Amino acid sequence: MKPNKQQLAIAKKIQKWIQATQEVEKARLAIPITRLTSIKSLCADEVAAEKFALYIARLVQQQINQANCPEHFTEEEWEQQKQLVDEAISLMDSYRENPSYESRQSLRNLLKDIDGVQGDDYRNFRWTTVRFVRSGDLLKLEYALRCFVETDFPYWAYKLAREYVEGYGLQSGSGIVAESVPMLLEVAEFWCQYYFNQSLNEKFPDGGAIALVR
């Protein structure tokens, strides 16, 4: 069946991400993270944003479970973070199965718990006030939860993808860097599966048969 205009547009957006993973290997500077802005247009409804949020949250959970406790956290704090991630995924799963006012309130309450863990370290930076959070993983989790409880879910889906993919190099700066490639491919893989029910390699065999490497 010949793809329609919408399918062609979506495929083009995904293919641009694949091309970005190839470009970053050659680039001396980071590729702008704004390449991910097109995610907003892929969130046609809240279901898309919620499924994407749950997908990224599970990847974050895998990373945390495979990691050792960072030096700036106690073992107790590290275990608390793991429990918050586990609880968030359980609540998001439950909401997907049975959306209700009560289940949404549970998600909002968990956001308050995460906010308490992140602390209140606010600093002035370039004529604005910036909050420095304690955990990047919990920040991703916050954005994932907001995809469920906020009306502007496309914005939060983009924020989540940005936080998940963005990297930093002393020479390259911040944005999509070489270390970002596996995460960017995971993002592309989700949307390819969501809209085409195919893997990246199946959908774009000539656009770079790229294996997902973690």
Side-chain angles (χ1 to χ4, degrees):
M1 182 182 296
K2 186 177 180 180
N4 58 38
K5 289 183 179 181
Q6 182 184 24
Q7 290 173 325
L8 288 172
I10 292 170
K12 186 175 182 180
K13 290 170 184 175
I14 296 172
Q15 196 164 28
K16 283 184 176 179
W17 296 336
I18 298 175
Q19 292 169 353
T21 66
Q22 298 165 340
E23 292 172 19
V24 77
E25 300 294 342
K26 305 174 184 177
R28 292 185 179 181
L29 297 177
I31 294 174
I33 196 66
T34 49
R35 289 278 186 99
L36 291 173
T37 307
S38 54
I39 282 179
K40 295 180 183 180
S41 64
L42 297 181
C43 295
D45 53 39
E46 63 269 21
V47 172
E50 289 168 3
K51 287 186 175 182
F52 176 66
L54 190 51
Y55 169 78
I56 297 297
R58 287 193 173 116
L59 292 176
V60 172
Q61 182 186 47
Q62 291 175 16
Q63 292 176 357
I64 288 179
N65 289 338
Q66 294 169 4
N68 295 320
C69 177
E71 293 182 358
H72 56 285
F73 290 121
T74 65
E75 289 290 343
E76 183 179 358
E77 289 172 332
W78 186 236
E79 286 303 314
Q80 182 186 23
Q81 287 193 45
K82 289 182 178 180
Q83 291 172 8
L84 286 170
V85 173
D86 292 345
E87 184 179 357
I89 291 174
S90 177
L91 289 175
M92 285 189 280
D93 265 329
S94 297
Y95 183 86
R96 288 287 309 124
E97 293 176 4
N98 183 30
S100 66
Y101 172 81
E102 290 75 14
S103 56
R104 178 168 288 193
Q105 283 301 109
S106 295
L107 293 169
R108 291 187 183 278
N109 290 337
L110 187 58
L111 275 171
K112 294 178 182 178
D113 293 339
I114 292 172
D115 184 66
V117 172
Q118 293 286 42
D120 56 358
D121 183 5
Y122 292 90
R123 308 178 196 177
N124 294 323
F125 182 75
R126 292 183 180 178
W127 304 286
T128 188
T129 302
V130 178
R131 184 186 186 189
F132 286 76
V133 298
R134 299 197 66 206
S135 170
D137 291 323
L138 289 185
L139 184 60
K140 298 181 189 81
L141 191 65
E142 175 193 336
Y143 293 163
L145 289 168
R146 291 194 182 282
C147 289
F148 282 77
V149 302
E150 304 290 353
T151 56
D152 192 10
F153 48 84
Y155 168 78
W156 291 105
Y158 163 66
K159 290 274 286 185
L160 172 60
R162 177 172 180 152
E163 186 65 28
Y164 186 69
V165 173
E166 190 169 22
Y168 175 79
L170 290 175
Q171 301 298 324
S172 60
S174 61
I176 300 173
V177 297
E179 291 76 14
S180 303
V181 168
M183 284 72 80
L184 179 54
L185 287 173
E186 286 169 337
V187 169
E189 182 72 19
F190 171 83
W191 293 108
C192 194
Q193 294 279 0
Y194 185 81
Y195 278 105
F196 302 107
N197 199 29
Q198 290 180 292
S199 69
L200 288 176
N201 290 337
E202 291 169 337
K203 180 63 180 174
F204 305 105
D206 300 322
I210 306 169
L212 286 173
V213 179
R214 292 296 293 168

